[in-house]
């Protein structure tokens, strides 16, 4: 049991009566129910109404747990996943230890959109990475509703004016090679102050309020995103991958550029990004003309 889960639960339980050690003796069902109740109690009715008014989806975001502060919405989502419906969403005002790609810290201060979607598709684990592409497409479509042009940087970033506005982290929960659920973490720099970010992040980050031509409403954006995500997710479930790939390529910031891919164990690949194949794998052409499939890695455009 992650102590962060128990510490979050302590917000609901009088710690003068129950210590963390005593909480450890609680059953898993009791702890899950406590975390779920806390997520419902913290949900401001005004926030809830604004999200619902802008969400025309059938199941994405219809069941939401809302927290003031968590270590990571993906952490809470993975913990609650076995006991909540498909399409449930975890939202937090801030994350204290938001996680980006390769375990890097993801800055998540108050004012941004920090959420995780819990999905339970009947697919093979090998298909799960395609949902990162689908999510990026849904984000760009959502931003288009705000008259904001966004592009997708492989594998999991959304850019505005070549600066990062959104990060996506997809995590699978599997048992004996059988997929139980998929967690899609989405972080959007909407109304945050990036002046206190580390210098490298500040130079390469942008917020929606920097470019929007009207007042930014996080609740409206989330509601619209749930609707756009459901459309793209339904394409994924129907195996209409070509539609997702088409939209991804149309919004791609990576295809057609020289890239450097940092892979696990320090391996570096440099080449020309040709595109993505039917599995959503990036194809690059190395200087010697050889084509290489890149399944994962940290991409830097040269």
């Amino acid at each position: 049991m992650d102590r962060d889960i128990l510490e979050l639960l302590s917000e609901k339980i009088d710690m003068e009566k129950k210590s963390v050690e005593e909480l450890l003796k609680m059953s898993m069902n009791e702890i899950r129910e406590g975390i779920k109740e806390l997520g419902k109690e913290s949900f401001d009715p005004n926030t809830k109404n604004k999200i619902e008014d802008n969400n025309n989806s059938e199941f994405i975001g219809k069941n939401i747990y809302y927290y003031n502060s968590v270590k990571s919405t993906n952490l809470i989502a993975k913990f609650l996943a076995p006991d909540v419906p498909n399409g449930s969403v975890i939202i937090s005002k801030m994350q204290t230890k938001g996680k980006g790609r390769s375990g890097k810290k993801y800055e998540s201060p108050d004012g941004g959109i920090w959420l995780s979607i819990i999905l339970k598709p009947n697919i093979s684990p090998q298909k799960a990475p395609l949902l990162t592409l689908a999510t990026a497409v849904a984000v760009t479509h959502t931003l288009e509703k705000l008259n904001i042009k966004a592009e997708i940087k492989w594998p999991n970033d959304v850019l505005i004016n070549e600066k990062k506005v959104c990060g996506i982290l997809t995590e699978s929960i599997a048992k004996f090679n059988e997929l139980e659920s998929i967690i899609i973490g989405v972080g959007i720099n909407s109304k945050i102050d990036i002046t206190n970010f580390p210098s490298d992040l500040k130079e390469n980050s942008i917020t929606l309020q920097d470019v929007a031509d009207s007042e930014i409403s996080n609740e409206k954006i989330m509601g619209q995103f749930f609707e756009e995500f459901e459309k793209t997710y339904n394409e994924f479930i129907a195996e209409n991958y070509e539609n997702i790939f088409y939209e991804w390529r149309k919004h791609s910031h990576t295809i057609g550029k020289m890239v450097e891919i940092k892979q696990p164990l320090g391996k570096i690949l440099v080449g020309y990004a040709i595109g993505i194949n039917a599995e959503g794998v990036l194809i690059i052409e190395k200087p010697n003309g050889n084509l290489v499939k890149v399944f994962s890695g940290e991409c830097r455009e040269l």
Side-chain angles (χ1 to χ4, degrees), residues 38 48 60 117 127 139 174 179 296:
L38 179 62
K48 182 175 184 290
I60 299 293
I117 303 173
K127 297 283 188 184
V139 171
L179 192 64
S296 64

Side-chain angles (χ1 to χ4, degrees), residues 106 143 150 158-160 163-167 187-189 206-208:
Y106 193 95
L143 298 187
V158 177
L159 311 179
I160 296 174
K163 294 186 177 183
K164 182 173 178 176
V165 72
C166 171
I188 301 177
N189 301 336
I206 196 169
T207 72
L208 296 184

Side-chain angles (χ1 to χ4, degrees), residues 260-273:
E260 177 185 270
I261 310 292
K262 184 178 181 181
Q263 297 187 300
L265 303 178
K267 184 178 181 181
I268 302 292
L269 288 175
V270 176
Y272 182 79

Side-chain angles (χ1 to χ4, degrees), residues 238-251:
E239 299 186 355
N240 294 328
Y241 305 134
E242 65 277 8
N243 294 340
I244 297 173
F245 295 151
Y246 174 81
E247 290 296 322
W248 191 95
R249 293 181 181 112
K250 188 171 73 172
H251 292 90

Side-chain angles (χ1 to χ4, degrees), residues 113-181:
I113 295 173
W114 322 117
L115 62 86
S116 297
I117 303 173
I118 300 169
L119 302 171
K120 301 182 180 183
N122 182 22
I123 61 170
S124 67
Q126 291 74 24
K127 297 283 188 184
L130 293 179
L131 280 170
T132 301
L133 306 184
T135 304
V137 168
V139 171
T140 60
H141 288 175
T142 302
L143 298 187
E144 284 174 351
K145 291 184 174 181
L146 298 173
N147 296 318
I148 296 175
K149 180 183 178 182
E151 296 178 292
I152 303 169
K153 178 186 173 185
W154 185 91
N156 61 340
D157 290 342
V158 177
L159 311 179
I160 296 174
N161 298 335
E162 306 207 357
K163 294 186 177 183
K164 182 173 178 176
V165 72
C166 171
I168 300 163
L169 180 63
T170 303
E171 298 185 274
S172 299
I173 302 174
K175 184 180 293 184
F176 305 116
N177 204 36
E178 183 175 328
L179 192 64
E180 294 186 340
S181 57

